[in-house]
Amino acid sequence: MANSAAGRLYVVATPIGNLGDFSPRAGDTLRTCSLIAAEDTRHTGTLLRHFGIATPTVSLHDHNERQRSPELIARMQAGESIALVSDAGTPAISDPGYELVGAAAAAGIEIVAIPGPCAALAAVSIAALPTDRFCFEGFLPARAAARRARLESLGAEVRTLVFYESPHRIVDALEDCRDSLGPERRAAVARELTKLHESLYRGSLAELCVRSRLDADFARGEIVIVIAGRPPAPPQQGCAELDRVLGLLLAELPLKQAARLAAQLLGVRDNEAYKSALRLKQESGSS
Ligand code: SAM
């Protein structure tokens, strides 16, 4: 239950490049709250000056968020309303904010979203890849071994994948995506969204890797990678392959174990593998 005497925490999205995306409601909120907690006060200062907003700011970044949150919570409990912004886009999305939002929720302070730009959502909305289900993976690990391990763990993911990536690593990251997820996977690379040099590259991972090596612009600016999830196996081929693998496993293992192993090997559902295993057992028993 929110404490009605307390102020609120407003989580305010700001432009990811184009100042025209700053919403009137974001402006009103930043103008009328008592304090703005900003990832970088100098960066946010430029935005505030542009819109003639004179509200004081305080810094809240990855390295001081935990220490600073209690003081901000105390001010909201005393009745002040505070706005949280990051350098660009939606706070707490690969940006500081999670600690403060968590502490405010625990203290029963009302938290209000002032939604707006978010690079991940902007990229998904124009990638022309399935949008009914997608998963946001933030930044891939910078080190190659950890990055490949993360991608391998996502190999069977059927939802569309969304990553933030730095321009310095885009070529290596795309090549790791191709090697771990398969060269045919459809993907899109969105660069500099909402800015002057906005561009969107679509193609298979193999095609995007070639392009990333040929086109110097590819590795400039801010980047979101969107990759289609694992395509479903063609039904006929899937069945035949499942039967073949089960046939081999059933010769060596009990039915349940063979079914579970086949499901893991082929990425099919346990009960699908179990039903096929039963059918094969029955067929071989009746012959
Ligand atoms: N909170 C932000 C949001 O809502 O999008 C994301 C902050 S994260 C620290 C910064 C990353 O977001 C960049 O490295 C890039 O991957 C992505 N990004 C931010 N602005 C972008 C833009 N205009 N075009 C493409 N990607 C962008």
Side-chain angles (χ1 to χ4, degrees):
M1 223 5 210
N3 172 358
S4 57
R8 290 170 164 179
L9 174 64
Y10 292 97
V11 179
V12 183
T14 58
I16 55 170
N18 189 324
L19 291 179
D21 295 333
F22 188 62
S23 78
R25 189 164 171 241
D28 289 345
T29 305
L30 296 187
R31 201 167 279 113
T32 54
C33 64
S34 2
L35 183 70
I36 299 171
E39 182 181 6
D40 177 338
T41 52
R42 273 188 309 179
H43 187 99
T44 296
T46 309
L47 177 85
L48 298 180
R49 273 192 300 283
H50 182 89
F51 288 101
I53 297 170
T55 308
T57 57
V58 62
S59 77
L60 186 92
H61 46 68
D62 283 337
H63 306 292
N64 73 356
E65 186 172 3
R66 191 160 283 199
Q67 301 89 293
R68 181 138 280 171
S69 291
E71 151 200 345
L72 298 179
I73 297 295
R75 289 180 68 160
M76 288 185 275
Q77 283 173 326
E80 290 186 55
S81 281
I82 295 181
L84 169 70
V85 298
S86 59
D87 285 355
T90 302
I93 306 300
S94 290
D95 262 344
Y98 170 72
E99 293 279 349
L100 180 62
V101 169
I109 290 165
E110 190 179 349
I111 307 168
V112 181
I114 309 292
C118 174
L121 289 182
V124 168
S125 72
I126 58 173
L129 296 169
T131 52
D132 51 343
R133 296 174 71 203
F134 59 88
C135 59
F136 174 60
E137 281 288 321
F139 285 94
L140 281 165
R143 287 182 41 246
R147 182 168 62 233
R148 283 181 209 134
R150 173 78 53 84
L151 287 166
E152 294 294 335
S153 78
L154 291 168
E157 178 56 66
V158 294
R159 294 171 294 177
T160 294
L161 298 161
V162 187
F163 302 100
Y164 285 159
E165 193 46 273
S166 123
H168 315 294
R169 288 192 290 268
I170 183 67
V171 176
D172 290 342
L174 276 177
E175 290 180 354
D176 286 343
C177 289
R178 176 199 61 197
D179 297 344
S180 301
L181 305 175
E184 305 297 331
R185 281 273 187 115
R186 289 185 305 138
V189 172
R191 266 188 64 234
E192 295 288 86
L193 289 163
T194 79
K195 302 186 201 176
L196 185 62
H197 298 292
E198 169 166 356
S199 42
L200 185 74
Y201 304 84
R202 291 197 191 91
S204 67
L205 282 172
E207 287 163 349
L208 289 170
C209 285
V210 172
R211 183 107 195 233
S212 72
R213 292 230 172 241
L214 294 178
D215 179 349
D217 283 343
F218 202 98
R220 292 206 176 102
E222 299 197 275
I223 293 167
V224 183
I225 307 175
V226 187
I227 304 176
R230 194 198 67 185
Q236 277 312 322
Q237 221 180 310
C239 279
E241 184 63 356
L242 180 58
D243 282 4
R244 190 185 69 78
V245 171
L246 277 171
L248 293 170
L249 293 173
L250 283 167
E252 306 292 337
L253 296 170
L255 186 138
K256 265 192 179 169
Q257 217 179 327
R260 201 171 328 115
L261 206 53
Q264 281 170 7
L265 286 170
L266 298 177
V268 300
R269 281 201 292 271
D270 279 353
N271 69 345
E272 188 188 338
Y274 185 74
K275 275 189 207 158
S276 300
L278 264 183
R279 177 178 45 77
L280 289 176
K281 250 305 199 242
Q282 280 159 4
E283 283 169 6
S284 69
S286 63
S287 65

